[in-house]
Amino acid sequence: MRHSVRIAHAQADAAVQTPYPTTHHEQDHDMAITAGPNARAEQTTELSIQNRTLEMHLLQENLARAHMQERLQEAEDQRLALRAMRVAKLRRKAERASLRARKVLATAVL
């Protein structure tokens, strides 16, 4: 990428404000590097490029975290579904045993 295009991208990225991190993990990694008031344009550009690189790295971490949360939720849903199936199976078994006991009791009374 040409240097002038990189500078334009870096300046555009610097103009955009990033929202405050929403989670504690993001706050730990919010290491935005800023230039002082008397910094040269090249320094500011380089720092902006570093910030953009850091943001891209954090984007990948956030994506991985979201993916893991989704997988954990799927596993929890699967456990709940299996538990519900076991409960239904045990309920049917208990109903059949109750019916058998009633039949035995009915035949013993007659």
Coordinates of all heavy atoms in Angstrom, one line a residue, residues 26-34 50-51 54 57-58:
E26 N -11.9 -6.5 27.7 CA -11.5 -5.5 26.7 C -10.8 -4.3 27.3 O -9.9 -3.7 26.8 CB -12.8 -5.0 25.9 CG -13.3 -6.1 25.0 CD -14.6 -5.6 24.4 OE1 -14.9 -4.4 24.4 OE2 -15.4 -6.5 23.9
Q27 N -11.2 -4.0 28.6 CA -10.6 -2.9 29.3 C -9.1 -3.2 29.5 O -8.3 -2.3 29.5 CB -11.3 -2.6 30.6 CG -12.7 -2.0 30.4 CD -13.4 -1.8 31.7 OE1 -12.8 -2.1 32.7 NE2 -14.6 -1.4 31.6
D28 N -8.8 -4.5 29.9 CA -7.5 -4.8 30.1 C -6.6 -4.7 28.9 O -5.4 -4.4 29.0 CB -7.4 -6.3 30.6 CG -8.0 -6.5 31.9 OD1 -8.1 -5.5 32.7 OD2 -8.2 -7.7 32.3
H29 N -7.2 -4.9 27.7 CA -6.4 -4.8 26.5 C -6.5 -3.5 25.8 O -6.0 -3.3 24.7 CB -6.8 -5.9 25.5 CG -6.3 -7.3 26.0 ND1 -7.0 -8.0 26.9 CD2 -5.2 -8.0 25.7 CE1 -6.4 -9.1 27.1 NE2 -5.3 -9.1 26.5
D30 N -7.2 -2.5 26.4 CA -7.3 -1.2 25.7 C -6.0 -0.4 25.9 O -5.9 0.4 26.8 CB -8.5 -0.5 26.3 CG -8.8 0.8 25.5 OD1 -8.5 0.8 24.3 OD2 -9.4 1.7 26.1
M31 N -5.1 -0.7 25.0 CA -3.7 -0.1 25.1 C -3.5 0.9 24.0 O -2.5 0.9 23.3 CB -2.7 -1.2 25.1 CG -2.8 -2.2 26.2 SD -1.6 -3.5 26.1 CE -2.1 -4.3 24.6
A32 N -4.4 1.8 23.8 CA -4.3 2.7 22.7 C -3.1 3.6 22.9 O -2.9 4.2 24.0 CB -5.5 3.6 22.5
I33 N -2.2 3.7 21.9 CA -1.0 4.5 22.0 C -1.4 5.9 21.4 O -1.9 6.0 20.4 CB 0.1 3.9 21.3 CG1 0.4 2.5 21.8 CG2 1.4 4.7 21.4 CD1 1.3 1.6 21.0
T34 N -1.0 6.9 22.2 CA -1.3 8.3 21.7 C -0.1 9.1 21.6 O 0.9 8.9 22.3 CB -2.3 9.0 22.6 OG1 -1.8 9.0 23.9 CG2 -3.7 8.3 22.6
Q50 N -0.4 1.5 14.4 CA -0.3 0.5 15.5 C -1.6 0.3 16.2 O -2.0 -0.8 16.6 CB 0.8 1.0 16.5 CG 2.2 0.9 16.0 CD 3.2 1.5 17.0 OE1 2.8 2.0 18.1 NE2 4.4 1.5 16.7
N51 N -2.3 1.4 16.4 CA -3.6 1.3 17.1 C -4.6 0.5 16.2 O -5.3 -0.3 16.7 CB -4.3 2.7 17.3 CG -3.6 3.4 18.4 OD1 -2.9 2.8 19.3 ND2 -3.8 4.7 18.5
L54 N -3.7 -3.1 16.6 CA -4.1 -3.6 17.9 C -5.6 -3.8 17.9 O -6.1 -4.8 18.4 CB -3.8 -2.6 19.0 CG -4.2 -2.9 20.4 CD1 -3.5 -4.2 20.9 CD2 -3.9 -1.8 21.3
H57 N -6.3 -7.0 16.2 CA -6.0 -8.2 17.0 C -7.1 -8.4 18.1 O -7.5 -9.5 18.3 CB -4.6 -7.9 17.7 CG -4.3 -9.0 18.7 ND1 -3.9 -10.2 18.3 CD2 -4.2 -9.0 20.0 CE1 -3.6 -11.0 19.4 NE2 -3.8 -10.2 20.4
L58 N -7.6 -7.3 18.7 CA -8.6 -7.4 19.6 C -9.9 -7.9 19.0 O -10.7 -8.6 19.6 CB -8.9 -6.1 20.4 CG -7.7 -5.6 21.2 CD1 -8.0 -4.3 21.9 CD2 -7.4 -6.7 22.3

